[in-house]
Amino acid sequence: MAPQVRVVLSSEVFLCGPTQQTLRLGLLAPLSGLMGVAGPAIINCAVLAAEEACRASGTTIDLVLVDAGRAPEDVAREVDLLVGAGLVDGLVGTHTSNIRVAVEARVNNRVPYVFTPPHEFGRASAGSVFLGSDPAEHLRQPIAWLAKHRRVERWALIGNDYVWPRQVHAAATRVLRDLQQRVVMDRLVPMGHVDVAELVAAAQRARADAILVSLVGRDGIEFHRGVTELDANTAFVRLCTALDESCLVAAGGDSSGELYTAMPTFLLQDDDRHRRLLESYVARFGLTAPLPGSYAEGCYDGVHLLAAMCESGLLTTNTATQVAERLFSDANRSDFAQAGIDLRRRPMSMARASGTDLEVVRTLRQV
């Protein structure tokens, strides 16, 4: 029987038990909660990467799906059971950082864990690999570009009250100070409780001319939709740390020219690697499939990396971080090159909303 890729639920692998014939990768993707809007595209990109890895290696791969949109302890408990029973060879997670904190504490380096979105720490634990940028990397060039080209000086910081936005605000404060910018408002709100009118009024009272938005998923969608409904979408330059095309479409788009977002990739990027991925995605899932935004593309990279780590044979004598760094540095490996796969980390990009599109600001590095 030819190697294949399956998406299976935890309940199925609990019933089947461990196997030596199949590479099982735990896929922690948001099927609900704040990031649920990105879930379908994340799963599609995970399947695409697994199918490519399957063809390259001849190994059957199961993606064991875990809903990472639930409460952190619920997700961590399910993952702990999977790892403890020897039912997954590794984990790839595209979800919020509060989930990552809970999962890391339970997994405790027993299997490799690839976390793909932007993160709040410079170094991972021995068993974890971070593919995203840290807050300072994420923010410095976009803020510098806006300070120069949009002549903003006074910033309001608005984010969700959990680990990643807290660190984003701390890093942003340092970056803004270095760039002679001022923080005039710093607000963290509980997830699922965004009072847009109150936040906009507070930013106006503080005489902010720019807002750094670290509201995630549905909360960010509600904020940007509310700003437009309040006719305040031209009152501030808005720089987002967690807005991709899926969220922009869900927010109804924005044509103010004032909404920017910093992410690793955007759909309209024009590099060869990105075009190849989009062509493969459309060929596999069709033109009507959910948009493969930056979070989904990060999961694609994460599945490829985790599969390569597990297939390398290096994990028996090296930590996950050591194996990943070795693969990152070995960019000319023939099996990856022939498949058009590049495991190197990507630099941050910035784009401006134009309707429901995000148009890359190509002058980002010309600060």
Side-chain angles (χ1 to χ4, degrees), residues 72-138:
E73 191 52 38
D74 292 339
V75 179
R77 186 181 304 111
E78 183 174 344
V79 172
D80 187 23
L81 291 172
L82 288 168
V83 173
L87 297 176
V88 291
D89 300 292
L91 307 166
V92 58
T94 305
H95 46 71
T96 55
S97 281
N98 56 340
I99 303 295
R100 181 197 57 75
V101 171
V103 168
E104 273 193 315
R106 285 292 193 105
V107 171
N108 195 27
N109 300 327
R110 286 176 290 168
V111 295
Y113 178 23
V114 178
F115 181 68
T116 68
H119 61 87
E120 71 279 8
F121 294 117
R123 291 181 62 85
S125 65
S128 298
V129 178
F130 294 162
L131 288 189
S133 59
D134 67 35
E137 293 171 331
H138 200 136

Side-chain angles (χ1 to χ4, degrees), residues 222-284:
E222 291 181 7
F223 179 79
H224 297 299
R225 184 187 295 127
V227 167
T228 299
E229 290 171 352
L230 290 167
D231 202 24
N233 55 349
T234 59
F236 316 93
V237 169
R238 282 165 287 154
L239 173 62
C240 304
T241 60
L243 180 77
D244 66 4
E245 288 85 355
S246 296
C247 292
L248 180 62
V249 169
D254 189 290
S255 299
S256 67
E258 305 296 336
L259 178 59
Y260 296 82
T261 178
M263 297 290 279
T265 60
F266 297 102
L267 285 177
L268 296 182
Q269 266 180 235
D270 199 30
D271 58 277
D272 290 342
R273 180 189 190 283
H274 185 70
R275 284 200 303 272
R276 283 197 302 268
L277 172 59
L278 291 184
E279 289 168 1
S280 297
Y281 186 91
V282 171
R284 174 64 175 83

Side-chain angles (χ1 to χ4, degrees), residues 312-333:
S312 70
L314 299 172
L315 287 168
T316 56
T317 55
N318 297 271
T319 67
T321 53
Q322 290 169 337
V323 174
E325 288 302 328
R326 181 163 169 178
L327 293 178
F328 286 143
S329 63
D330 196 2
N332 295 318
R333 283 187 50 173

Side-chain angles (χ1 to χ4, degrees), residues 16-352:
C16 295
T19 177
Q20 299 296 320
Q21 288 73 42
T22 300
L23 178 62
R24 283 182 175 162
L25 308 180
L27 175 60
L28 281 57
L31 308 182
S32 59
L34 288 181
M35 287 183 63
V37 65
I42 288 171
I43 294 170
N44 280 355
C45 278
V47 169
L48 179 61
E51 289 175 345
E52 291 172 351
C54 174
R55 288 194 295 270
S57 66
T59 301
T60 295
I61 298 176
D62 280 354
L63 295 173
V64 183
L65 187 58
V66 175
D67 180 7
R70 298 169 295 158
E73 191 52 38
D74 292 339
V75 179
R77 186 181 304 111
E78 183 174 344
V79 172
D80 187 23
L81 291 172
L82 288 168
V83 173
L87 297 176
V88 291
D89 300 292
L91 307 166
V92 58
T94 305
H95 46 71
T96 55
S97 281
N98 56 340
I99 303 295
R100 181 197 57 75
V101 171
V103 168
E104 273 193 315
R106 285 292 193 105
V107 171
N108 195 27
N109 300 327
R110 286 176 290 168
V111 295
Y113 178 23
V114 178
F115 181 68
T116 68
H119 61 87
E120 71 279 8
F121 294 117
R123 291 181 62 85
S125 65
S128 298
V129 178
F130 294 162
L131 288 189
S133 59
D134 67 35
E137 293 171 331
H138 200 136
L139 295 172
R140 184 169 296 278
Q141 288 190 347
I143 288 176
W145 191 93
L146 289 171
K148 177 179 180 179
H149 294 276
R150 297 305 311 273
R151 306 296 183 187
V152 296
E153 294 181 355
R154 299 170 61 86
W155 289 76
L157 313 182
I158 299 174
N160 287 117
D161 190 10
Y162 77 98
V163 58
W164 182 69
R166 291 186 208 121
Q167 294 300 317
V168 167
H169 284 206
T173 299
R174 294 190 295 271
V175 170
L176 289 165
R177 182 177 60 242
D178 291 345
L179 295 170
Q180 286 76 55
Q181 303 279 290
R182 291 184 60 191
V183 176
V184 297
M185 172 181 162
D186 190 337
R187 186 76 64 84
L188 293 168
V189 301
M191 290 189 285
H193 297 83
V194 179
D195 186 334
V196 181
E198 192 277 328
L199 291 170
V200 168
Q204 290 173 327
R205 287 194 302 271
R207 295 187 296 117
D209 48 26
I211 302 177
L212 176 66
V213 183
S214 295
L215 298 165
V216 176
R218 188 174 62 241
D219 280 0
I221 291 166
E222 291 181 7
F223 179 79
H224 297 299
R225 184 187 295 127
V227 167
T228 299
E229 290 171 352
L230 290 167
D231 202 24
N233 55 349
T234 59
F236 316 93
V237 169
R238 282 165 287 154
L239 173 62
C240 304
T241 60
L243 180 77
D244 66 4
E245 288 85 355
S246 296
C247 292
L248 180 62
V249 169
D254 189 290
S255 299
S256 67
E258 305 296 336
L259 178 59
Y260 296 82
T261 178
M263 297 290 279
T265 60
F266 297 102
L267 285 177
L268 296 182
Q269 266 180 235
D270 199 30
D271 58 277
D272 290 342
R273 180 189 190 283
H274 185 70
R275 284 200 303 272
R276 283 197 302 268
L277 172 59
L278 291 184
E279 289 168 1
S280 297
Y281 186 91
V282 171
R284 174 64 175 83
F285 301 108
L287 289 169
T288 59
L291 296 172
S294 189
Y295 289 118
E297 191 163 341
C299 188
Y300 170 88
D301 291 340
V303 169
H304 263 302
L305 176 59
L306 182 59
M309 291 168 65
C310 292
E311 291 289 329
S312 70
L314 299 172
L315 287 168
T316 56
T317 55
N318 297 271
T319 67
T321 53
Q322 290 169 337
V323 174
E325 288 302 328
R326 181 163 169 178
L327 293 178
F328 286 143
S329 63
D330 196 2
N332 295 318
R333 283 187 50 173
S334 59
D335 50 343
F336 293 140
Q338 289 172 6
I341 298 161
D342 184 354
L343 293 177
R344 292 171 294 183
R345 290 186 175 94
R346 307 185 196 187
M348 189 58 55
S349 298
M350 187 168 75
R352 178 170 50 215

